Amino acid sequence: MTREEAINSIKANVENENLLKHMLATEAIMQALARRFGKDGEEWGITGLIHDIDMELTGGDMAEHSKLGADLARELGASEEMAHAILCHNEAHGIPLETKLDKTLACADPLTGLIVAAALVRPDKKLAGLEAKSVKKRFKEKGFATGADRQQISMCSEIGLELDEFIKLGLEAMKGIADDLGL
Ligand SMILES: [Fe+2]
């Protein structure tokens, strides 16, 4: 699957602008992590890009979310490894995370939400001036961006990254596409 094919399928299945931005942010972080680990940036990026492609199709039903997504990804030509990462990123299925790609997608996904929320509480609502240490501070604030699952973000330790490095890398990756994110 090429990135263009992934984008075309997203355009056909996703209307919500924020969901699209979330998927783009996840793509950017996955590409950066692939570079960090010497993995296939295109494959990892596309996995991040399409991981929530079924969110609207499933109406947000967590019992179905990511099952359909994994099937759609396979239809688009995703490898079994990519499809597995998409399938198991939804914890509701209780499917164990096995590969590095599985674990990376699972912790990159909620990091995007934390970073977006940290940018939006700034006076300028922009990513440019946001520092990793501020995101870390927000990470520790229990009542802040509660949807960004801290436990899941902390799973970066399972891919061999300290939280500080993970946040820094994720933030830099999202700054690189700030315009696309409207931030
Ligand atoms: Fe997601």
Side-chain angles (χ1 to χ4, degrees):
M1 174 192 349
T2 63
R3 185 176 189 275
E4 196 186 347
E5 286 164 342
I7 288 285
N8 286 339
S9 184
I10 288 168
K11 281 183 181 157
N13 293 299
V14 173
E15 280 182 10
N16 184 299
E17 189 97 346
N18 285 333
L19 178 57
L20 174 63
K21 287 176 181 171
H22 163 64
M23 291 159 83
L24 289 170
T26 309
E27 176 190 32
I29 296 180
M30 291 299 289
Q31 284 172 340
L33 288 165
R35 275 195 298 276
R36 171 71 172 72
F37 298 134
K39 299 285 186 180
D40 186 327
E42 200 175 342
E43 194 169 309
W44 279 40
I46 289 173
T47 306
L49 180 62
I50 63 169
H51 81 279
D52 276 341
I53 193 167
D54 69 353
M55 195 62 100
E56 290 175 8
L57 293 169
T58 58
D61 176 358
M62 285 299 134
E64 292 304 319
H65 168 52
S66 87
K67 284 185 184 170
L68 179 61
D71 287 343
L72 275 174
R74 280 190 200 96
E75 275 170 32
L76 288 165
S79 67
E80 205 38 53
E81 194 190 2
M82 292 165 76
H84 190 267
I86 291 166
L87 176 66
C88 65
H89 94 272
N90 176 8
E91 287 183 325
H93 305 314
I95 300 169
L97 305 174
E98 290 165 7
T99 67
K100 194 151 191 167
L101 181 58
D102 292 348
K103 293 172 186 170
T104 304
L105 178 62
C107 61
D109 181 16
L111 180 63
T112 66
L114 179 69
I115 293 174
V116 168
L120 291 178
V121 293
R122 291 172 49 79
D124 63 3
K125 297 188 183 345
K126 296 283 179 200
L127 280 171
L130 180 62
E131 291 183 55
K133 64 178 183 201
S134 307
V135 178
K136 176 84 176 289
K137 223 191 242 175
R138 295 300 188 184
F139 176 91
K140 290 181 183 164
E141 271 177 46
K142 284 211 174 81
F144 183 82
T146 51
D149 188 324
R150 308 301 201 266
Q151 204 185 334
Q152 213 175 318
I153 294 173
S154 300
M155 277 176 14
C156 61
S157 63
E158 291 185 31
I159 52 170
L161 293 182
E162 299 276 350
L163 183 60
D164 285 351
E165 184 185 359
F166 183 49
I167 288 174
K168 190 161 179 270
L169 206 143
L171 178 60
E172 290 309 316
M174 285 176 60
K175 281 182 180 179
I177 57 158
D179 284 349
D180 293 336
L181 301 177
L183 295 169

